[in-house]
Amino acid sequence: MFKNLLIADSGKGHVGEMVRMLRDLPGFRTARINLLHVVSEQGKVNSEDHWTTAGSLLSKAVTQLGLDPSDVNSIIRQGDAKQTVLKVAEEINADLIVMGSRGLGRLQSILSNSTSQYVFQLSTRPMLLVRDDLYVRHVNRLMVTIDGTGVGDDALRIACEMVRDIPGGQLTGVHIARQDLSASRGGDSKADGLLTAAVQRARSMGVDLKPMHVANQDIGRGVCEAAEEIGADLVVIASQDRRPLVARGLVDLDKLLGGSISDYIRVHAPAPVLLVREPERN
């Protein structure tokens, strides 16, 4: 599943608990752990102290995670945190980025220069966000969004692979429609067909998927309300990478300030969010 994790966190939230829980799953036990600490850009004054502090923080994080130091790749870099996380993820070919988040809204994130928000919007790699205000429970109930456009195939696969390793794990597939879809002549609605196909695909991977159809004009809100209703421990969502190449090195202000569904879920979901970025299909 995920074999090379990049953990970039300040140590103030619940990322450590989440990583420990993931490490209990068979699919994560052999994953390579890369711990990143970014020293902010500044002059030569006190720079040695900052590097020493960074080393101490990483050593403490290894201990808190209960890891063998020889199994951890500790990385210290100096620079802008946002750009550095993305750069290191590319360098080590991370297949999952794990970060904490203060759960700030779009405008607040821009004004506060939020690192997790920036990475969430611009990374082309899967990313797990754990908000600081969430208590991380045992990961047992997973929820994955089903949208019927072809986006989400990888998200469904990853959710199935994860829940398959969890004793008694449950997976719910949620389709959100802005209005109740009328039934076809056979008595099934379009949403029923989408969810039936998802159930069959999950079954082919050895997982029983519970289908759930929700009507809500606001898709992001609908996803969060569904997660609250079923008591989801982890929300798995997919988003296409629609940005042109020239824009991928810049903050996507349209998405940050506009109606980004994934960003709404990032802020309001009652559980950690695993975003699977999928290439746009023609």
Side-chain angles (χ1 to χ4, degrees):
M1 196 183 344
F2 295 118
K3 301 300 182 183
N4 196 24
L5 279 58
L6 174 61
I7 304 171
D9 183 61
S10 64
K12 298 178 181 178
H14 300 288
V15 168
E17 290 97 321
M18 174 58 73
V19 172
R20 282 193 293 272
M21 291 175 190
L22 292 177
R23 295 274 292 180
D24 286 337
L25 303 181
F28 282 87
R29 285 175 189 163
T30 59
R32 176 67 166 165
I33 301 294
N34 302 277
L35 289 179
L36 171 65
H37 182 84
V38 182
V39 178
S40 61
E41 295 177 307
Q42 41 197 306
K44 295 182 179 180
V45 179
N46 296 325
S47 61
E48 185 174 341
D49 291 339
H50 287 293
W51 285 87
T52 301
T53 300
S56 298
L57 289 172
L58 284 177
S59 178
K60 182 179 179 181
V62 171
T63 301
Q64 290 177 336
L65 291 172
L67 301 173
D68 184 339
S70 63
D71 294 335
V72 178
N73 178 29
S74 296
I75 305 170
I76 302 175
R77 293 289 178 85
Q78 186 173 38
D80 176 75
K82 303 184 298 298
Q83 295 287 354
T84 301
V85 171
L86 292 172
K87 182 178 180 180
V88 171
E90 292 292 326
E91 288 177 2
I92 67 173
N93 194 25
D95 50 22
L96 179 66
I97 301 171
V98 185
M99 294 188 71
S101 168
R102 286 173 291 168
L104 300 175
R106 300 182 193 94
L107 184 56
Q108 286 178 295
S109 292
I110 295 173
L111 296 177
S112 66
N113 207 23
S114 171
T115 299
S116 61
Q117 162 69 351
Y118 184 97
V119 176
F120 190 78
Q121 289 292 342
L122 293 181
S123 176
T124 58
R125 299 170 183 274
M127 180 177 183
L128 175 59
L129 266 181
V130 185
R131 286 209 321 271
D132 294 348
D133 60 341
L134 290 175
Y135 173 73
V136 181
R137 300 164 292 187
H138 176 69
V139 179
N140 182 69
R141 293 182 294 272
L142 278 69
M143 189 184 92
V144 61
T145 54
I146 309 294
D147 77 348
T149 65
V151 178
D153 288 348
D154 285 345
L156 177 58
R157 174 184 56 79
I158 288 172
C160 286
E161 290 176 351
M162 290 185 68
V163 80
R164 198 168 53 201
D165 285 339
I166 301 173
Q170 303 169 25
L171 179 60
T172 301
V174 177
H175 175 72
I176 311 293
R178 287 194 169 91
Q179 59 184 4
D180 285 315
L181 301 177
S182 59
S184 64
R185 292 181 181 179
D188 292 331
S189 69
K190 181 179 178 182
D192 291 329
L194 295 174
L195 289 171
T196 297
V199 168
Q200 293 173 345
R201 182 160 185 256
R203 187 174 297 135
S204 72
M205 291 182 276
V207 174
D208 289 327
L209 176 74
K210 180 181 178 181
M212 182 178 184
H213 173 221
V214 175
N216 197 310
Q217 289 291 328
D218 187 322
I219 293 179
R221 186 182 299 275
V223 169
C224 293
E225 291 177 353
E228 185 73 45
E229 180 179 338
I230 68 172
D233 301 313
L234 179 67
V235 177
V236 184
I237 64 175
S239 178
Q240 281 187 340
D241 183 4
R242 298 179 182 276
R243 299 178 300 282
L245 288 173
V246 70
R248 289 177 186 168
L250 305 172
V251 176
D252 192 336
L253 292 178
D254 289 340
K255 283 191 175 182
L256 291 176
L257 295 174
S260 169
I261 295 172
S262 61
D263 196 59
Y264 181 92
I265 297 170
R266 172 191 70 85
V267 175
H268 298 285
V273 176
L274 173 56
L275 173 71
V276 180
R277 185 78 70 185
E278 302 193 14
E280 186 173 7
R281 290 166 170 80
N282 295 322

